[in-house]
Amino acid sequence: PRKEAVVSTQSTGEVKEVEFNADFITRMLERLEWGALVDAASQLGVADGLPEMAPSSGKEVDEEEDVLRKIHHVLLEVEITEGELECPETGRKFPIKNGIPDMRLNEDE
């Protein structure tokens, strides 16, 4: 299984309101690494309301606007402004400053 970067629990962020677009979120569902999204949202304390399993696209998703709105919130409205990402394999930490992760490698890597 693929391991995803870990967001530090000491990361800080902000919430910016973004207009909800159910069609966009529905189209994004098949492109998401669902487990990584739920893990990151949990680490940031914004996972309430996200199902453990990814919703399948189709009619059932269209009927669950509240779930689509929660996914929209996590994907588009929560922004990490300061903190770090940590590689689960190497433990290497990448700083996030002003909302931008610095994932440059050192010359010896």
Side-chain angles (χ1 to χ4, degrees):
R2 185 173 162 187
K3 294 182 179 178
E4 304 296 331
V6 177
V7 180
S8 168
T9 54
Q10 284 136 17
S11 296
T12 58
E14 56 188 54
V15 175
K16 295 182 177 183
E17 190 171 325
V18 175
E19 185 176 341
F20 176 67
N21 182 331
D23 291 334
F24 174 76
I25 298 301
T26 301
R27 287 191 310 269
M28 289 298 297
L29 286 175
E30 63 189 46
R31 294 172 173 83
L32 292 174
E33 290 283 341
W34 188 257
L37 175 71
V38 173
D39 287 347
S42 294
Q43 292 167 26
L44 295 170
V46 294
D48 292 340
L50 284 179
E52 286 185 34
M53 300 295 292
S56 58
S57 57
K59 186 177 179 185
E60 72 181 54
V61 170
D62 294 337
E63 294 173 353
E64 295 186 31
E65 185 175 318
D66 58 328
V67 172
L68 291 178
R69 285 188 177 277
K70 184 60 183 178
I71 296 167
H72 162 86
H73 175 70
V74 171
L75 285 177
L76 302 175
E77 295 182 329
V78 176
E79 182 178 324
I80 300 169
T81 53
E82 302 291 327
E84 60 188 26
L85 294 172
E86 182 177 337
C87 175
E89 293 179 7
T90 65
R92 170 121 192 245
K93 295 179 181 182
F94 299 93
I96 302 170
K97 295 192 187 299
N98 298 317
I100 302 170
D102 180 355
M103 300 185 78
R104 295 178 288 183
L105 298 176
N106 296 326
E107 287 186 26
D108 60 340
E109 295 180 284

